[in-house]
Amino acid sequence: MYTESIVLTEKNKLKIVDQTLLPGQLKYIKINGLEDSIEAIKKLKIRGAPAIGVMAAYTLYIIANNLKSFSRNRFFEELKFAGIELKNSRPTAVNLEWAIERINQVISDNPNKIQSDIAKLLRKEALEIHSEDRDSCHQIGINGLEIVPEKANIVTHCNTGSLATGGWGTALGIIYAAAEKNISLHVYVNETRPLGQGARLTFWELNQAGIPCTLIADSMAASLMAESKINLVLFGADRIAKNGDVANKIGSYNLAVAANYHKIPCYSAAPVSTFDFDMNCGSDIPIEKREPDEILDIYNYKKGNSDLDVYNPAFDITPAELLSGIITEKGIIKQPLKINISKLINHN
Ligand code: MRU
């Protein structure tokens, strides 16, 4: 069993694990509407590409449910506004807009339904988005077993587990699937500066699951590779361009460069909802820039000091040629990625 990051209760209340409190405290908080949801997404109380997609879908349902006795104009206007605000809350993970589009499609497919019926349809769609992600994660885990070596020493980055998705995770899902098969494995967890998703969340998740793991600082992975202590690199994705370039947590690119130098297989794992065929290549993908304080806080600088020059992009691009493949719920996409992505995704 894993920790569910997002829960819609039987009474239709939305609850999430506040991930900013981990590993100190596992606490669910209530999301009452748009304001709470946007705050939770922006402050990374909920994070991870698939999880914020699921969160956006449930938020739109909650808003519809809260407004079902209001006038049609107000109901539709507020839902439209909420969709735009949610989409703008984090720019890189495409799963967010993908999920919002699915909800918008239900609204536009049902122009004559009354508000309470639309709210019910949105509930159904949000639950489906959640359960499809759960299934995708499970299948990614199973599909990924093919590339896990017998004695696996894996380095992973950021958090791609149950906290980041609607299921048991993507890259971490593969690790959970391997552990279920009793494959001997050890996971090196990159700390993931500046916000420590590896140290706070992945290290916590793996220890909860009883999977052997070691926490390392981001700068250590290359030297472990040089000492032959790593035989697989696995990370997730926030958006994948048509040519196979992968946007993921800042530092993923470093791992891929080091893995290639040491001739270690390097894979990204993601559901098909993370592919964006409107992006020809990585440089088309919008990269979120976050507040300087996220770095300055680590070193106890005074908050809000605008005189200091800080660069804090949340994601980087791993060029397709540095990846051995991309593991999806539909199968493993191998090189050449540009050709095989469209074959696998369009032909299923
Ligand atoms: O800023 P975050 O914590 O939302 O970044 C998350 C990542 O980069 C994950 O690797 C990615 O979203 C995949 S989660 C399955």
Side-chain angles (χ1 to χ4, degrees):
M1 270 307 285
Y2 52 80
T3 306
E4 292 267 2
S5 54
I6 306 174
V7 178
L8 186 71
T9 68
E10 279 173 15
K11 291 186 174 160
N12 294 321
K13 303 287 176 214
L14 181 57
K15 292 194 314 184
I16 58 161
V17 171
D18 181 347
Q19 299 185 26
T20 61
L21 302 177
L22 284 169
Q25 203 185 352
L26 175 61
K27 184 180 170 194
Y28 283 87
I29 55 169
K30 231 172 101 188
I31 301 295
N32 293 309
L34 183 63
E35 226 174 280
D36 289 352
S37 182
I38 300 270
E39 198 229 24
I41 294 172
K42 284 190 171 166
K43 293 197 170 158
L44 311 197
K45 292 179 181 180
I46 182 84
R47 28 83 31 219
I52 57 177
V54 172
M55 172 78 166
Y58 279 134
T59 304
L60 290 169
Y61 156 62
I62 294 289
I63 294 168
N65 200 35
N66 290 344
L67 291 176
K68 64 188 177 210
S69 52
F70 284 62
S71 73
R72 278 181 86 71
N73 272 356
R74 171 100 189 262
F75 179 82
F76 288 118
E77 264 167 29
E78 295 228 9
L79 277 175
K80 191 171 163 203
F81 173 77
I84 295 167
E85 291 291 300
L86 284 163
K87 188 175 158 205
N88 292 337
S89 61
R90 288 198 80 189
T92 304
V94 73
N95 309 62
L96 187 58
E97 54 188 85
W98 171 87
I100 294 165
E101 279 312 310
R102 276 189 55 169
I103 293 290
N104 284 343
Q105 193 63 47
V106 174
I107 298 172
S108 52
D109 286 349
N110 292 282
N112 301 321
K113 291 238 162 38
I114 57 167
Q115 295 88 309
S116 57
D117 285 347
I118 291 176
K120 279 185 202 145
L121 289 174
L122 297 195
R123 179 178 184 278
K124 185 166 167 274
E125 188 71 6
L127 285 167
E128 259 170 42
I129 289 172
H130 194 170
S131 119
E132 283 171 24
D133 191 57
R134 195 175 291 123
D135 293 348
S136 297
C137 285
H138 190 255
Q139 199 53 47
I140 288 170
I142 304 298
N143 293 346
L145 287 175
E146 183 188 319
I147 56 92
V148 178
E150 238 169 55
K151 282 196 176 132
N153 285 299
I154 304 169
V155 65
T156 192
H157 194 64
C158 197
N159 172 264
T160 59
S162 69
L163 293 168
T165 64
W168 67 0
T170 56
L172 274 202
I174 297 168
I175 289 167
Y176 291 137
E180 271 189 7
K181 291 269 177 224
N182 292 321
I183 293 173
S184 147
L185 56 89
H186 193 97
V187 185
Y188 290 91
V189 180
N190 252 9
E191 171 192 30
T192 318
R193 287 258 166 157
L195 291 176
Q197 289 92 330
R200 293 186 299 105
L201 309 175
T202 299
F203 196 51
W204 177 80
E205 267 197 44
L206 291 175
N207 277 302
Q208 292 278 112
I211 293 177
C213 54
T214 304
L215 177 63
I216 57 171
D218 292 343
S219 49
M220 296 172 186
S223 79
L224 286 176
M225 291 177 192
E227 292 166 18
S228 303
K229 289 197 171 128
I230 307 285
N231 55 13
L232 180 62
V233 174
L234 270 183
F235 51 72
D238 277 78
R239 194 184 296 230
I240 304 175
K242 208 174 170 178
N243 71 341
D245 289 353
V246 167
N248 194 51
K249 178 54 57 194
I250 190 84
S252 304
Y253 174 46
N254 302 36
L255 270 188
V257 170
N260 274 257
Y261 180 78
H262 292 96
K263 303 198 172 19
I264 295 166
C266 174
Y267 287 87
S268 168
V272 167
S273 55
T274 303
F275 287 78
D276 184 351
F277 285 95
D278 290 337
M279 306 283 123
N280 284 317
C281 60
S283 56
D284 292 343
I285 299 176
I287 299 291
E288 177 183 7
K289 306 287 185 310
R290 293 187 61 89
E291 288 302 312
D293 279 347
E294 289 182 351
I295 302 180
L296 293 172
D297 277 357
I298 303 170
Y299 305 102
N300 290 328
Y301 279 87
K302 202 167 143 242
K303 273 195 191 306
N305 188 339
S306 52
D307 296 338
L308 300 172
D309 187 24
V310 177
Y311 183 53
N312 187 18
F315 302 96
D316 60 23
I317 304 290
T318 297
E321 66 262 29
L322 296 186
L323 292 167
S324 314
I326 301 175
I327 301 156
T328 76
E329 70 274 31
K330 291 191 174 182
I332 301 182
I333 307 173
K334 297 203 171 136
Q335 291 288 0
L337 291 182
K338 195 175 177 175
I339 295 166
N340 291 334
I341 283 175
S342 54
K343 272 195 201 155
L344 188 85
I345 293 183
N346 297 332
H347 293 196
N348 268 281

